[in-house]
Amino acid sequence: MHSKLLDELNENGYVVIEDFLTEEEVDSLYQAGRTLCLDAPQTNRKIFSTIKAEDAHSKELYFMDSGDKVRYFFEKGAVGEEGQLLVDPMIALNKVGHALHVEHPTFNSITFSNRVREICWQLNYNRPAVCQSMYIYKNPGIGGEVIPHQDSWYLHTEPNSAVGFWIALEDCTLHNGCLQFVKGSHKSGVHRRYMRNPDTNATELMVYDRAAPIYPQSSFAPIQVSKGTCILIHGNVVHKSEQNRSQKSRHAYTFHVIETENNVKYSEDNWLQAPQDKPFPVLFERKA
């Protein structure tokens, strides 16, 4: 099947779909995201203070075990040495992940909606599965930058099959850290991998296999979008977002889809591994 959507994704590495969600849907996700701030754990926060080495190890484990859970990741600078919050709890979180699409009904209903299935159908998936989801806050002032990367660094399949659905729950501008893309950069392969450390005796559980590539600032095009917009992100396209320097947050809900048929292999050294008894949930199976 041939689709304009697939052509655009293959040409540019991303597709902007305006009004993907209704205002009511945006509002229900946004309110769910705010409620998550209040649900965030009061204890065990000190693992997010990066001062002590043993905390860094606990932090890695907390991250690596989050694939089938709802876990809370605090913004750098939001948590003090003893785990005390240094900022208002409503702006303390960087993100929540990585199983909102399974564990939380509000996010589940959007992720497994017919609109999402229809897009995956048009992108020629045969048996698409959702491998992870995140609620991203990008809070005013404290919302840190996201370095230039390809999603395939983290969600590697052979051949590449990952596509991100990135849904804006607030208007995204240059000031509050909208996404920026290097158009066409998905045509140059995977530049780096973030993987489980092959050295099992090492303290670091996760390692990058290469140094970070340098991407010239001038090659990034900012994509300013209004709330309700969905940006489809090819697994190999280089993108980033700057720090939020505004007074407005930039909430977003994002999830990733991978192919589980056609001899596509999900890499065993990806940080995210589905538990044996909980395979990644499948959106549909295309019958021949």
Side-chain angles (χ1 to χ4, degrees):
M1 194 183 84
H2 190 77
S3 82
K4 245 171 74 174
L5 201 64
L6 187 58
D7 286 348
E8 194 178 336
L9 189 67
N10 286 339
E11 182 55 36
N12 297 333
Y14 59 91
V15 181
V16 176
I17 306 170
E18 291 178 346
D19 300 317
F20 182 72
L21 295 189
T22 65
E23 265 190 54
E24 293 73 29
E25 288 169 327
V26 168
D27 194 53
S28 73
L29 291 185
Y30 178 79
Q31 294 306 337
R34 285 179 64 82
T35 306
L36 287 169
C37 293
L38 304 172
D39 295 343
Q42 313 297 310
T43 55
N44 204 20
R45 272 196 305 244
K46 72 173 194 298
I47 63 169
F48 296 97
S49 165
T50 44
I51 297 163
K52 303 186 187 76
E54 65 269 24
D55 287 343
H57 187 76
S58 315
K59 189 173 157 185
E60 273 195 312
L61 278 174
Y62 183 83
F63 170 75
M64 286 173 75
D65 291 345
S66 67
D68 61 337
K69 300 175 185 71
V70 174
R71 291 208 154 164
Y72 302 82
F73 301 89
F74 289 90
E75 201 57 79
K76 211 174 166 178
V79 179
E81 254 181 272
E82 297 309 311
Q84 75 280 27
L85 272 192
L86 304 176
V87 297
D88 180 323
M90 295 312 286
I91 62 159
L93 289 173
N94 170 287
K95 66 180 178 188
V96 176
H98 287 89
L100 287 165
H101 61 292
V102 175
E103 300 296 327
H104 194 298
T106 310
F107 296 104
N108 174 272
S109 66
I110 296 292
T111 312
F112 292 88
S113 63
N114 285 337
R115 253 165 300 173
V116 170
R117 290 192 170 103
E118 175 58 35
I119 284 174
C120 290
W121 186 270
Q122 287 184 35
L123 295 179
N124 272 352
Y125 280 101
N126 274 343
R127 192 173 177 272
V130 182
C131 57
Q132 69 154 21
S133 54
M134 292 183 284
Y135 193 98
I136 301 169
Y137 291 90
K138 199 74 159 183
N139 281 310
I142 198 172
E145 70 168 332
V146 175
I147 62 160
H149 66 282
Q150 301 166 298
D151 292 339
S152 292
W153 291 6
Y154 308 100
L155 301 169
H156 188 262
T157 67
E158 195 59 61
N160 172 68
S161 70
V163 169
F165 284 66
W166 191 96
I167 302 170
L169 302 178
E170 294 183 284
D171 295 345
C172 305
T173 66
L174 274 172
H175 305 294
N176 72 356
C178 66
L179 293 185
Q180 303 194 28
F181 290 88
V182 180
K183 203 173 186 171
S185 54
H186 61 295
K187 298 173 184 175
S188 58
V190 180
H191 305 161
R192 178 188 206 205
R193 291 278 316 282
Y194 182 67
M195 53 214 286
R196 292 180 175 241
N197 196 338
D199 178 359
T200 45
N201 297 320
T203 50
E204 283 181 302
L205 301 174
M206 299 298 306
V207 289
Y208 283 105
D209 66 343
R210 277 163 279 182
I214 306 295
Y215 303 107
Q217 172 56 38
S218 58
S219 49
F220 285 91
I223 308 294
Q224 303 191 71
V225 297
S226 52
K227 65 181 183 183
T229 301
C230 176
I231 304 180
L232 299 179
I233 304 174
H234 189 289
N236 289 1
V237 77
V238 177
H239 58 290
K240 67 169 185 175
S241 65
E242 302 284 350
Q243 185 184 351
N244 184 350
R245 296 187 171 84
S246 77
Q247 299 304 302
K248 290 196 171 88
S249 53
R250 194 224 63 189
H251 290 204
Y253 173 58
T254 178
F255 58 90
H256 283 86
V257 172
I258 54 167
E259 179 62 276
T260 62
E261 262 187 11
N262 304 5
N263 295 322
V264 173
K265 189 166 170 6
Y266 184 81
S267 302
E268 288 174 10
D269 51 10
N270 284 342
W271 77 266
L272 176 68
Q273 297 296 329
Q276 293 277 286
D277 59 334
K278 271 192 196 173
F280 296 137
V282 170
L283 282 153
F284 62 77
E285 292 191 51
R286 195 186 291 258
K287 297 282 181 269

